Amino acid sequence: MRISKNDLRLCLVTDENMYRDDEHLCRIVLSAIAGGATMVQLREKKADTRSMTRKGALLKEILPQGVPLIINDRVDVALAVNADGVHLGQSDMPVAYARKLLGKNKIIGLSVETKEHALEANTLPIDYIGLSPVFSTATKQDIATPLGLPGIKEITGISQHPSLGIGGITLSNVAAVIRAGADGVAVVSYLMQAPDSRNAAKSMKYAIEEAFS
Amino acid sequence: MRISKNDLRLCLVTDENMYRDDEHLCRIVLSAIAGGATMVQLREKKADTRSMTRKGALLKEILPQGVPLIINDRVDVALAVNADGVHLGQSDMPVAYARKLLGKNKIIGLSVETKEHALEANTLPIDYIGLSPVFSTATKQDIATPLGLPGIKEITGISQHPSLGIGGITLSNVAAVIRAGADGVAVVSYLMQAPDSRNAAKSMKYAIEEAFS
């Protein structure tokens, strides 16, 4: 197993518009982990490769043992900084190429937006699926129709992979997402923009654990 | 030697705004090669990774033996499609990481915009430098002050690497760029937007060879 369901409980996803500089990024990431975030995805949509590589290397350095670092889209950056894996969207590198480049020890997550994507994902050498988006969100623009809770239930019912809900997840809806079948959630704004990311992660982690119990 | 000065004579650089679809791209590329282009750089600034990978694989398949395929910026795409190498800018992945990922058999080109970049490039495991930009150009927006012919002369004088002039190069100025010290030129619009890319490449190649003789 390259990743456990416990690793997927609460994934912090970064957003370059939600921090000021490297130091601020590191502070938010470490606070969220102190509050209970179980993995970190570096997602930079506009940054150039040099700054993405720098940030990846920085996060790799500061992340505690046992908290996987996942790089969005960029297999080269993941390899360069020796991250734990990548998260791929449907417009990113096809999984077969990515698996070949990353080898069998790295994590690959794949966003699925439809039932058809989920069925295809069952045939692919990936480690988890991202259910994307669960709800509508201001963070990502170019996205598919929200799956909603019925969509989560349907897709987790047919998927053979562990799953992570992403998109519009907050403290008030996280329990419902877990109860609909997700193994965890990936969160951008609720953690990145919280006045106190540690507290925000702590409350969310508690709600997730409650929903499982 | 991963690349010879002859390979650098006339590099076609693609631009996603200058062709309609994959078929059109292939037609322009093959015409330019038939006219004498000696290498091809796939440069896609807005395309997603999936389409860049698809185009890279396509070019790799159609390029004749002996015409290197270079991928701009993306080391992962270069590895995925088994391209001959990458071209890196000053904001792309640092050369040390890229060389490690690509191994010692792949070509790495690096854009230099100043004398200082050129001196630093002398210490790096690269195969050629791109002199960028030679003249001002409408193709690329976010670029440094044009080097001009005196800049080409100065940088090629101190560089230990073969060099490729890029930026605003046309049939009327190519000879001067070669005489200023470049080993070749990289051309976007003049070849990509020519009514007949084969003829455009042929005239340019002739002018380059004349300038060397």
Side-chain angles (χ1 to χ4, degrees):
Chain A
M1 281 282 266
R2 289 169 288 229
I3 197 164
S4 75
K5 285 186 177 181
N6 277 334
D7 294 329
L8 292 172
R9 291 302 185 236
L10 181 54
C11 175
L12 169 68
V13 179
T14 69
D15 184 314
E16 59 211 302
N17 301 308
M18 298 180 188
Y19 57 87
R20 286 183 304 275
D21 52 24
D22 288 359
E23 193 271 330
H24 189 205
L25 169 65
C26 290
R27 196 143 41 83
I28 295 174
V29 167
L30 290 177
S31 299
I33 292 169
T38 52
M39 82 193 240
V40 176
Q41 182 189 135
L42 176 67
R43 184 169 74 183
E44 304 272 310
K45 286 303 183 189
K46 287 173 213 141
D48 57 45
T49 307
R50 183 150 307 186
S51 72
M52 194 166 177
T53 306
R54 187 191 70 246
K55 289 173 192 173
L58 197 58
L59 292 183
K60 173 72 185 172
E61 200 181 307
I62 64 162
L63 251 55
Q65 188 75 21
V67 177
L69 172 65
I70 303 294
I71 308 290
N72 186 280
D73 180 13
R74 298 293 300 256
V75 172
D76 46 0
V77 174
L79 288 168
V81 307
N82 192 26
D84 299 281
V86 295
H87 185 91
L88 302 175
Q90 293 286 328
S91 303
D92 294 337
M93 184 172 279
V95 168
Y97 284 109
R99 177 55 73 202
K100 199 173 163 195
L101 295 180
L102 290 164
K104 58 182 181 191
N105 295 323
K106 297 285 186 191
I107 298 161
I108 299 182
L110 177 68
S111 288
V112 304
E113 295 160 356
T114 62
K115 198 178 150 182
E116 290 65 38
H117 288 166
L119 290 172
E120 196 204 357
N122 280 345
T123 70
L124 297 173
I126 60 170
D127 301 286
Y128 72 90
I129 55 170
L131 306 158
S132 169
V134 181
F135 304 114
S136 64
T137 161
T139 307
K140 258 185 116 182
Q141 302 300 324
D142 58 330
I143 51 170
T145 316
L147 295 164
L149 298 174
I152 302 306
K153 196 168 176 185
E154 184 181 25
I155 292 184
T156 55
I158 59 169
S159 179
Q160 288 158 22
H161 300 292
S163 65
L164 203 56
I166 186 165
I169 293 172
T170 64
L171 187 58
S172 57
N173 61 30
V174 66
V177 176
I178 298 298
R179 287 201 206 96
D183 295 297
V185 293
V187 178
V188 191
S189 357
Y190 189 81
L191 294 179
M192 290 295 295
Q193 297 189 312
D196 182 332
S197 300
R198 183 174 183 276
N199 275 344
K202 202 171 169 184
S203 314
M204 202 163 239
K205 186 70 171 302
Y206 184 78
I208 293 167
E209 281 166 1
E210 276 286 293
F212 276 113
S213 68
Chain B
M1 280 283 266
R2 290 170 286 229
I3 198 163
S4 75
K5 286 186 176 182
N6 277 334
D7 295 328
L8 292 172
R9 291 303 185 234
L10 180 55
C11 175
L12 169 68
V13 179
T14 69
D15 184 314
E16 59 210 304
N17 301 308
M18 297 178 188
Y19 58 87
R20 285 183 304 275
D21 52 24
D22 288 359
E23 192 272 330
H24 189 204
L25 169 65
C26 290
R27 197 144 40 83
I28 295 174
V29 166
L30 290 178
S31 298
I33 292 169
T38 53
M39 82 194 241
V40 175
Q41 182 189 135
L42 177 67
R43 185 169 73 181
E44 304 272 310
K45 284 302 182 190
K46 286 172 213 142
D48 57 46
T49 307
R50 184 150 307 186
S51 71
M52 195 167 177
T53 306
R54 187 189 70 246
K55 288 173 192 174
L58 197 59
L59 293 183
K60 173 71 186 174
E61 200 181 307
I62 64 162
L63 251 55
Q65 189 74 21
V67 178
L69 172 64
I70 302 294
I71 308 290
N72 186 280
D73 180 13
R74 297 293 301 255
V75 172
D76 46 359
V77 174
L79 288 168
V81 308
N82 192 25
D84 300 281
V86 295
H87 185 91
L88 302 175
Q90 293 286 329
S91 303
D92 295 337
M93 184 172 279
V95 168
Y97 285 109
R99 176 55 75 203
K100 199 173 163 196
L101 295 180
L102 290 164
K104 57 183 182 187
N105 296 322
K106 298 284 187 192
I107 297 161
I108 298 181
L110 177 68
S111 289
V112 304
E113 295 160 356
T114 62
K115 197 177 150 182
E116 289 67 35
H117 288 167
L119 290 172
E120 195 204 356
N122 281 345
T123 70
L124 297 173
I126 61 170
D127 301 286
Y128 71 89
I129 55 170
L131 306 157
S132 169
V134 182
F135 304 114
S136 64
T137 161
T139 307
K140 260 186 115 183
Q141 302 301 323
D142 58 329
I143 50 171
T145 317
L147 295 163
L149 297 174
I152 301 305
K153 196 168 177 185
E154 183 181 26
I155 291 185
T156 56
I158 59 169
S159 179
Q160 287 158 23
H161 300 292
S163 65
L164 202 57
I166 185 166
I169 293 171
T170 65
L171 187 57
S172 57
N173 60 30
V174 65
V177 176
I178 298 297
R179 286 200 208 95
D183 295 296
V185 293
V187 178
V188 191
S189 359
Y190 188 81
L191 293 179
M192 290 295 294
Q193 297 189 312
D196 182 332
S197 300
R198 183 174 183 277
N199 273 345
K202 201 171 169 183
S203 313
M204 202 162 242
K205 186 72 172 299
Y206 184 78
I208 294 166
E209 281 167 0
E210 276 285 294
F212 275 113
S213 68

